[in-house]
Amino acid sequence: MRRRVAPELPSGNRRLVKLQLPWGVFSKGTHPLPTQPSGPACQFTEAWTPAPLLERVWVDAEVVVLTFGLPDSSAPLGCGDAYIPCVLARGGRDPATGAAFVRPYTPMATTGVGSFRLNVRVYEAGKLSRHLAEMPVGDFLEFRHVPPGHYAQRFLAAADDVAFVCAGTAITTAFQAAERVLRRGKATRVRLVYGSRTTASILNKGDLDALAAAHGDKLVVTHVLSREPADSGWRGERGRVDKAVL
């Protein structure tokens, strides 16, 4: 994967590296790379497994939060200590070929018992996302585990200090990676800059607040709102995520 070197950290002489991912990651420092995930194994295996849709909550006209049940209702989804856990989802049918639609998703909150969530942006021409937006609660979608091992997994495992820059549904990936970096206990600080349209469209704010409360000054979360009404009383950052915010 291509890398780009960014300016030095203000607090030291080690370099910042930005990964070319759907969200930005900056870090410094090195630690020995882990060999295998040490947490609970993912409940989904390499075989397709059905999971029921338990709840659908629309955050705005384009983004929906879906809660699915797990095969073992007494255990969490798992996924070990993968810094960026991933599952494949399969559902719906292509009317032309009859084949099911398959897409990768990063699950949200893999430690919750009995269920897990997906943050999904629904596109007008999206095949699986439209199916997810319309499938009845109680129907089943098939899932499959995707093993960790890509470059970002190894990069995050070697980091001391990490900053994540993301917007919209990309918070899912950034949150999972940040939570695992903090759980590892070696990072001196994690900063997460998250762009949303309004306060109502901030995804997983409860998870972010709980994570910040659990780790104190090790985690700094900055919300940036681009379309928040001027008279709303919001006292945080406004506009786009730009150089001034970073």
Side-chain angles (χ1 to χ4, degrees), residues 9 25 55 75 188 241:
L9 280 171
V25 180
E55 184 182 48
T188 57
V241 176

Side-chain angles (χ1 to χ4, degrees), residues 21 64 110 118 124 138 181 186 212 229:
L21 296 172
V64 63
T110 60
L118 297 181
E124 186 63 33
V181 169
K186 295 178 181 177

Side-chain angles (χ1 to χ4, degrees), residues 53 60 84 163 174 197:
L53 175 62
D60 58 30
I84 306 175
R197 293 177 178 175

Side-chain angles (χ1 to χ4, degrees), residues 175 178-179 182 190-192 204-223:
F175 176 89
E179 191 273 337
L182 289 163
V190 173
R191 185 184 179 198
L192 197 158
N204 309 116
K205 189 174 186 303
D207 298 284
L208 288 167
D209 291 345
L211 191 65
H215 293 280
D217 59 4
K218 275 196 166 185
L219 173 63
V220 177
V221 179
T222 302
H223 291 284

Side-chain angles (χ1 to χ4, degrees), residues 10 44 74 90 103 107 128 137 154 160 195 202:
F44 295 120
S74 65
R90 181 171 75 173
R103 296 289 185 274
L128 185 54
V137 172
R154 294 171 57 83
D160 280 324
I202 297 175

Side-chain angles (χ1 to χ4, degrees), residues 222-226 234-239 244-245:
T222 302
H223 291 284
V224 184
L225 304 184
S226 62
W234 172 255
R235 296 184 178 181
E237 299 285 348
R238 290 176 179 269
V245 173

Side-chain angles (χ1 to χ4, degrees), residues 88-206:
L88 286 180
R90 181 171 75 173
R93 293 286 172 185
D94 186 324
T97 65
F101 304 120
V102 178
R103 296 289 185 274
Y105 286 101
T106 298
M108 185 69 191
T110 60
T111 56
V113 173
S115 65
F116 69 100
R117 286 172 282 146
L118 297 181
N119 296 330
V120 177
R121 182 170 295 280
V122 180
Y123 297 95
E124 186 63 33
K127 296 180 172 62
L128 185 54
S129 68
R130 295 302 315 176
H131 175 74
L132 292 172
E134 298 165 1
M135 68 180 287
V137 172
D139 274 13
F140 287 78
L141 194 74
E142 293 183 305
F143 290 95
R144 208 177 109 183
H145 176 60
V146 178
H150 49 70
Y151 181 82
Q153 163 88 5
R154 294 171 57 83
F155 181 85
L156 288 167
D160 280 324
D161 298 343
V162 183
F164 298 92
V165 182
C166 64
T169 55
I171 186 60
T172 312
T173 308
F175 176 89
Q176 292 287 35
E179 191 273 337
R180 281 155 175 75
V181 169
L182 289 163
R183 188 200 306 166
R184 191 191 62 207
K186 295 178 181 177
T188 57
R189 192 175 85 155
V190 173
R191 185 184 179 198
L192 197 158
V193 179
Y194 178 29
S196 305
R197 293 177 178 175
T198 65
T199 51
S201 68
I202 297 175
L203 284 168
N204 309 116
K205 189 174 186 303

